Amino acid sequence: MANRNKPSSSDQNSTLIPIIIIASLFFIFGFVTWINGALIPFMKTINELTSAQSLLVASASYISFVVMALPASYILTKIGYKKGMSLGLFIMGLGALVFIPAAEARTYWMFLTGIFIQGTGMTLLQTASNPYITILGPIDSAAKRISIMGICNKIAGALGSLIFGSLLLSGIDEIQKKLSVVSVTEKKQLLDTMADSVVAPYITMAVVLFVLGILIRKAPLPDVEAEPIEVAKEGKTTKTSIFQFPHLWLGVLTLFMYVGVEVIAGDTIIAYGISLGFPAEEAKFFTTFTLLAMVATYALGAFLIPKYITQTAALKVSAILGIIFSFFIVFTSGFVSILFVAALGIANALVWPAIWPLTLKGLGKFTKTASALLIMAISGGAVIPPLYGKFVDLNKADMLAMGLSQKAATANAATEGYWIILPCYVFILYYALFGHAVGLKKIGK
């Protein structure tokens, strides 16, 4: 297929430097995003929260994609991709600085504010970088490029989870034991000391983000534009509105479902392990299991797509694996169940790379607006994980009322909460089978 998106069709290396630069950005927001797995049990302890309340950490991060996606699209139209990426990094740095007064006050809403501000910066980065890497080369190989971005994202996430897990969760088991026996004054001192442990990491993060924000302004990123919509055949109407692309809206809903299950797989697994009785010193590694599973599958996808399998086929296989693993999580127990939560990383890895090109196909001048809508769909990470937490809290209360012990009720409720991911994977399978082609067939695509 002819490609009007590449900066130079005669030089395959013309996109190498831009790809490396965008990969570094995926690394950055992968690192920042996936430390939520460690932040959730940390915040639950220092602010004495329920499971549902603690998962507002994910909500604060991902809800920003709803609030800021369309403004981000407008900003990019005005200042371009490169300046937009730089601005996103600066905003993320400001969000990191909010953690300093939040730790001093040990106030949950202040922490959530800092997370939301960082999410705002990531919204700008995502709104710029995802369509950029999608249209940087041929649309049929977009999933391959996005898979490479995913490898960078998840390796960074694994590192972030390990680093922040070590910094924030070290000694948390002993602290939790002490909290139930010490005086009110001693309890406050313990929690204040624990809260202060976020200050140094977030100051470091802010400095790094500000420096990168300056460097990206000087980066050699070429201007790229999506292919125009094909000229309508005789007797057929041209597309004049974003609402004339049903495959786009189904893709947005699919991405909403996907991000919800991806966040559940990565952000709940540490807390899940703790609820099953694993010490925090062991559980802090569990998010890394999920992310390494994703990295391995991303690498496989980069090798296979599009030479051996299509983007659509990859999406079908991913959805089927997600359905299978969902059942195994609920119907197994202990470490085996945790491994199946981590295995969701295999099911999830190729969903994002496949949905973007399938959804943006044929949109032409509507690509930037469609990209903003897809970024808004990341809010699935703000909605579905707290629903999981709510189900866990309700099930736990019911089981305690039935006479189960605290330990058994906590473990069983956490396991049964994973039923929420099953309908999400079913919808992803629908999009892979039929939804991605709805409307396109009518215009001869």
Side-chain angles (χ1 to χ4, degrees):
M1 181 177 70
N3 173 37
R4 300 179 221 182
N5 301 328
K6 292 182 68 174
S8 172
S9 60
S10 63
D11 185 5
Q12 294 296 317
N13 293 323
S14 62
T15 59
L16 179 59
I17 293 177
I19 285 175
I20 292 172
I21 293 170
I22 301 302
S24 69
L25 295 181
F26 273 81
F27 185 95
I28 291 164
F29 54 70
F31 188 96
V32 175
T33 297
W34 291 103
I35 61 178
N36 285 346
L39 278 177
I40 287 169
F42 176 79
M43 294 294 177
K44 185 176 182 180
T45 298
I46 67 170
N47 291 291
E48 301 176 277
L49 308 170
T50 66
S51 295
Q53 289 171 335
S54 66
L55 283 164
L56 290 177
V57 166
S59 295
S61 178
Y62 291 101
I63 201 64
S64 59
F65 291 99
V66 174
V67 178
M68 292 303 300
L70 289 175
S73 178
Y74 175 79
I75 291 170
L76 292 175
T77 301
K78 293 297 182 181
I79 67 176
Y81 285 120
K82 184 161 70 172
K83 290 181 179 178
M85 293 173 191
S86 177
L87 179 59
L89 290 166
F90 281 121
I91 294 172
M92 290 174 66
L94 291 174
L97 292 178
V98 174
F99 272 68
I100 300 171
E104 291 298 319
R106 196 162 52 84
T107 304
Y108 192 38
W109 71 263
M110 291 182 67
F111 282 114
L112 296 181
T113 300
I115 293 169
F116 176 83
I117 294 172
Q118 286 200 311
T120 298
M122 282 193 288
T123 302
L124 198 51
L125 275 179
Q126 293 260 28
T127 306
S129 59
N130 280 287
Y132 189 92
I133 199 67
T134 299
I135 63 180
L136 190 60
I139 194 71
D140 289 339
S141 62
K144 179 176 182 176
R145 293 190 298 279
I146 299 176
S147 291
I148 294 171
M149 300 303 104
I151 292 172
C152 298
N153 184 276
K154 273 34 180 194
I155 288 176
L159 289 173
S161 176
L162 285 175
I163 293 170
F164 274 73
S166 298
L167 293 173
L168 303 183
L169 301 181
S170 179
I172 192 173
D173 295 321
E174 291 74 18
I175 292 174
Q176 288 175 336
K177 291 176 182 178
K178 291 179 181 178
L179 292 177
S180 60
V181 297
V182 297
S183 66
V184 174
T185 301
E186 291 173 317
K187 181 178 182 180
K188 182 179 182 302
Q189 290 175 341
L190 279 172
L191 294 178
D192 286 345
T193 301
M194 188 176 177
D196 288 340
S197 63
V198 303
V199 173
Y202 274 87
I203 289 177
T204 304
M205 183 189 296
V207 171
V208 171
L209 290 169
F210 288 141
V211 170
L212 290 173
I214 295 171
L215 293 178
I216 203 72
R217 290 291 294 271
K218 302 181 181 296
L221 291 175
D223 293 327
V224 293
E225 291 294 336
E227 291 182 0
I229 300 173
E230 291 184 12
V231 177
K233 295 180 181 178
E234 185 178 353
K236 296 195 176 184
T237 59
T238 58
K239 298 294 183 178
T240 59
S241 169
I242 199 76
F243 295 101
Q244 294 174 295
F245 298 92
H247 80 288
L248 162 64
W249 297 96
L250 290 171
V252 169
L253 183 55
T254 303
L255 199 68
F256 179 92
M257 300 286 188
Y258 160 69
V259 176
V261 296
E262 184 193 53
V263 172
I264 284 177
D267 284 2
T268 69
I269 190 170
I270 293 177
Y272 181 49
I274 293 172
S275 73
L276 295 184
F278 289 88
E281 286 297 317
E282 294 180 20
K284 69 183 181 184
F285 295 105
F286 293 166
T287 294
T288 304
F289 295 168
T290 304
L291 297 176
L292 290 179
M294 294 189 78
V295 168
T297 312
Y298 271 130
L300 186 63
F303 172 74
L304 295 176
I305 300 171
K307 186 174 182 180
Y308 299 103
I309 64 171
T310 65
Q311 295 168 152
T312 308
L315 190 59
K316 292 175 185 176
V317 172
S318 298
I320 291 170
L321 287 176
I323 292 169
I324 293 171
F325 293 154
S326 300
F327 280 103
F328 278 111
I329 291 168
V330 176
F331 290 114
T332 57
S333 60
F335 190 62
V336 174
S337 182
I338 290 171
L339 288 178
F340 278 112
V341 176
L344 291 176
I346 300 172
N348 292 339
L350 299 183
V351 178
W352 178 281
I355 289 176
W356 272 87
L358 288 175
T359 304
L360 295 181
K361 185 177 181 180
L363 294 179
K365 65 181 180 181
F366 299 106
T367 297
K368 287 182 180 177
T369 303
S371 297
L373 292 172
L374 284 168
I375 292 299
M376 291 175 72
I378 295 176
S379 61
V383 175
I384 297 176
L387 287 178
Y388 164 84
K390 190 66 176 177
F391 288 162
V392 171
D393 289 338
L394 291 174
N395 286 339
K396 181 179 177 180
D398 289 342
M399 291 176 186
L400 289 173
M402 293 168 58
L404 268 69
S405 67
Q406 180 79 17
K407 182 178 180 180
T410 300
N412 292 340
T415 301
E416 292 186 8
Y418 283 102
W419 277 121
I420 195 173
I421 66 178
L422 182 60
C424 298
Y425 284 113
V426 171
F427 193 86
I428 293 170
L429 181 60
Y430 160 75
Y431 190 74
L433 292 172
F434 311 108
H436 72 280
V438 174
L440 290 179
K441 293 180 180 178
K442 296 178 182 178
I443 57 173
K445 295 287 184 181

